[in-house]
C-alpha cells in the first residue's frame, strides 16, 4: 500500500529524512515513534504531498508521489500536528469546505457529513463555531475532516497531543474503529502507550532513519519480557535490567542486594533502551 524508497529531505546541510526505506501493507496500523526533531513530521508531510521530496520515491497504492498529485491527495487523509481548522466556521461548514475542495457531489457529501458527525459524536455540535469547541472536539473534527473524501490511507501527526486522559481514550476508540474497518493508518506519537495499544507495527525513527521496526510484542520480546527495576537509595538512582525469564531477574535482584520491582517490559522501556543506545554511539 505504501512503499518508500531511499527517501531524503534536506534542509541545507541537514538531512531531516535520511535515505529512509519503509513498506506498509494495506490495513496496517503503523506507529512512528522518535525523539523531537527525528523527522516524523517531515516524513508525514512528504507522504501527504505538502513538502516536496529532495530525492527518493514514495508510492501510495502504486501511484508515485509528484507524478499525479491530485490522485495521490484523493488517496490520503491528513490530520496535521497543529490544528488548522477554520475557526470562524461551524463544524459542519468545515466538513463541507473540505468536501468541496475534493469536488464531492452534494448528496454524497451530505451523507458522509452525517456519518462522520455520528462517528465522532459531534452531531449535536454541527452548528457550533469551531473556536468554541474543546481541544478534544477539535481533534475529533480534524479526524472527521480527514476522512471526508474516503481516503485509503489516514496519516495522523500526534493525534492526541494536548488531550486529557479521557479525551485521548475517546480518540483512541475512534482510531480502533477505523482499524477494524481495514483502513491503512500511519500515526506519529509521543504517547508510547498509544502506539502499544493501537499499532500492529511500530517503527522507531532517529535522525531521519528508521532504526527498528516490528510489532510491539516483538519489539518488547527483543528487549526481554521481564523488567527488573533496582533502586539504589544511597545514590538516588534507578537501574532497569531486562530478562527473558522471571527467575533470571530474581537472581540478578538477589545478587545486587537493592530494593527492586519486577514487572512486564513495556514499549516505553524498549524506546528508552534504543534511544540510549543511539546517544551512546
Ligand atoms: N522548514 C524547515 N526548515 C528547516 N529545517 C526544518 C524545517 N522543518 C523541519 N526542519 C528540521 O528537520 C528536523 C526534523 O523535524 P521534524 O519536524 O520532522 O521532527 P519531528 O520528529 O516531527 O519532531 P517533533 O517530535 O518535535 O514533532 C529538525 O531538525 C527540524 O529542525
Ligand atoms: Mg513533529
Amino acid at each position: 500500500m505504501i512503499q518508500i524508497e531511499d527517501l531524503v529531505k534536506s534542509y541545507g546541510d541537514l538531512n531531516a529524512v535520511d535515505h529512509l526505506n519503509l513498506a506498509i501493507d494495506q490495513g496496517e496500523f503503523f506507529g512512528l515513534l522518535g525523539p523531537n526533531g527525528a523527522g516524523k513530521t517531515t516524513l508525514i508531510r512528504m507522504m501527504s504531498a505538502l513538502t516536496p521530496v529532495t530525492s527518493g520515491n514514495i508510492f501510495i497504492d502504486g501511484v508515485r508521489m509528484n507524478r499525479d498529485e491530485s490522485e495521490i491527495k484523493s488517496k490520503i487523509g491528513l490530520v496535521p500536528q497543529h490544528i488548522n481548522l477554520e475557526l470562524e466556521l461551524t463544524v459542519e461548514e468545515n466538513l463541507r469546505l473540505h468536501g468541496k475542495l475534493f469536488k464531492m457531489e452534494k448528496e454524497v457529501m451530505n451523507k458522509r457529513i452525517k456519518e462522520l458527525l455520528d462517528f465522532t459524536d459531534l452531531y449535536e455540535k454541527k452548528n457550533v463555531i469551531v473556536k468554541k469547541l474543546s481541544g478534544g472536539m477539535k481533534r475529533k473534527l480534524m479526524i472527521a475532516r480527514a476522512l471526508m473524501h474516503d481516503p485509503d490511507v489516514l496519516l495522523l501527526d500526534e493525534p492526541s497531543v494536548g488531550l486529557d486522559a479521557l479525551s485521548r481514550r475517546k480518540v483512541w476508540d475512534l482510531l480502533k474503529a477505523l482499524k477494524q474497518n481495514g483502513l491503512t493508518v500511519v500515526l506519529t506519537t509521543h504517547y508510547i502507550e498509544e502506539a502499544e495499544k493501537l499499532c500492529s507495527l511500530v517503527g522507531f525513527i532517529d535522525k531521519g532513519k528508521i532504526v527498528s521496526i516490528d510489532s510491539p510484542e516483538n519489539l518488547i520480546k527483543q528487549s526481554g519480557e521481564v523488567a527488573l527495576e533496582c533502586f539504589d537509595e544511597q545514590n538516588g538512582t534507578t537501574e532497569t535490567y531486562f530478562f527473558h525469564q522471571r527467575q533470571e531477574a530474581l537472581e540478578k535482584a538477589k545478587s545486587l542486594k537493592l530494593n527492586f520491582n519486577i514487572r512486564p517490559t513495556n514499549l516505553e522501556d524498549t524506546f528508552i533502551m534504543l534511544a540510549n543506545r543511539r546517544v551512546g554511539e
Side-chain angles (χ1 to χ4, degrees):
M1 168 56 81
I2 302 174
Q3 193 79 32
I4 296 179
E5 298 171 352
D6 207 27
L7 187 67
V8 177
K9 177 72 192 184
S10 311
Y11 292 112
D13 289 344
L14 173 81
N15 280 354
V17 168
D18 192 12
H19 299 279
L20 184 141
N21 294 288
L22 181 62
I24 300 171
D25 291 336
Q26 180 163 4
E28 195 88 69
F29 209 110
F30 178 68
L32 192 59
L33 297 180
N36 292 128
K40 301 180 295 295
T41 296
T42 307
L43 177 61
I44 296 278
R45 287 178 60 84
M46 285 193 282
M47 289 168 78
S48 42
L50 286 177
T51 299
V53 312
T54 302
S55 64
N57 285 314
I58 302 176
F59 295 93
I60 309 273
D61 208 8
V63 181
R64 205 180 112 192
M65 185 70 69
N66 292 355
R67 201 30 89 74
D68 183 348
E69 212 159 87
S70 66
E71 194 183 350
I72 285 274
K73 281 193 171 165
S74 72
K75 289 180 184 293
I76 286 171
L78 173 68
V79 180
Q81 185 167 0
H82 300 289
I83 288 172
N84 66 345
L85 297 161
E86 295 294 335
L87 298 180
E88 302 295 334
L89 297 183
T90 66
V91 167
E92 185 173 352
E93 283 165 349
N94 265 270
L95 296 180
R96 202 165 287 286
L97 191 67
H98 187 88
K100 281 188 187 149
L101 221 61
F102 280 83
K103 300 191 170 63
M104 290 174 74
E105 279 173 32
K106 199 165 172 199
E107 267 160 40
V108 179
M109 184 150 74
N110 288 341
K111 186 163 170 273
R112 191 77 181 144
I113 288 175
K114 165 94 176 55
E115 275 170 12
L116 288 170
L117 288 176
D118 281 339
F119 174 61
T120 50
D121 227 0
L122 286 172
Y123 194 78
E124 284 180 7
K125 301 280 174 190
K126 68 178 180 162
N127 295 320
V128 172
I129 304 280
V130 166
K131 70 177 175 194
K132 295 190 179 164
L133 296 180
S134 74
M137 290 173 191
K138 286 190 192 119
R139 282 281 154 197
K140 290 200 292 188
L141 179 57
M142 302 247 289
I143 295 174
R145 185 186 59 180
L147 293 169
M148 263 302 281
H149 58 285
D150 199 15
D152 300 326
V153 178
L154 182 65
L155 305 174
L156 306 113
D157 199 359
E158 299 193 33
S160 54
V161 73
L163 298 185
D164 67 42
L166 191 66
S167 310
R168 194 181 311 151
R169 270 167 180 72
K170 284 190 184 153
V171 168
W172 291 1
D173 285 343
L174 280 186
L175 297 178
K176 274 188 207 152
L178 293 173
K179 183 175 177 173
Q180 269 155 16
N181 292 343
L183 190 74
T184 307
V185 179
V186 176
L187 64 85
T188 78
T189 184
H190 287 290
Y191 296 110
I192 298 176
E193 191 196 351
E194 180 163 276
E196 193 170 345
K197 287 237 163 79
L198 297 173
C199 296
S200 49
L201 189 67
V202 167
F204 288 104
I205 182 171
D206 193 20
K207 300 190 182 84
K209 287 184 196 294
I210 301 270
V211 294
S212 196
I213 183 166
D214 214 325
S215 65
E217 301 77 42
N218 284 345
L219 285 166
I220 289 169
K221 241 184 241 163
Q222 280 169 26
S223 335
E225 302 87 329
V226 184
L228 165 69
E229 290 171 324
C230 291
F231 312 108
D232 187 337
E233 271 156 35
Q234 248 174 2
N235 299 324
T237 53
T238 304
E239 201 68 65
T240 310
Y241 305 91
F242 301 96
F243 301 91
H244 291 292
Q245 303 288 338
R246 195 182 154 82
Q247 189 57 33
E248 294 170 316
L250 267 174
E251 278 162 24
K252 174 79 176 177
K254 270 189 215 149
S255 75
L256 288 173
K257 299 192 176 68
L258 295 170
N259 282 336
F260 68 91
N261 174 36
I262 294 180
R263 58 168 175 80
T265 305
N266 56 44
L267 197 60
E268 183 147 330
D269 296 317
T270 310
F271 177 81
I272 290 169
M273 209 158 78
L274 281 168
N276 281 340
R277 205 183 291 160
R278 304 276 305 168
V279 170
E281 266 176 6

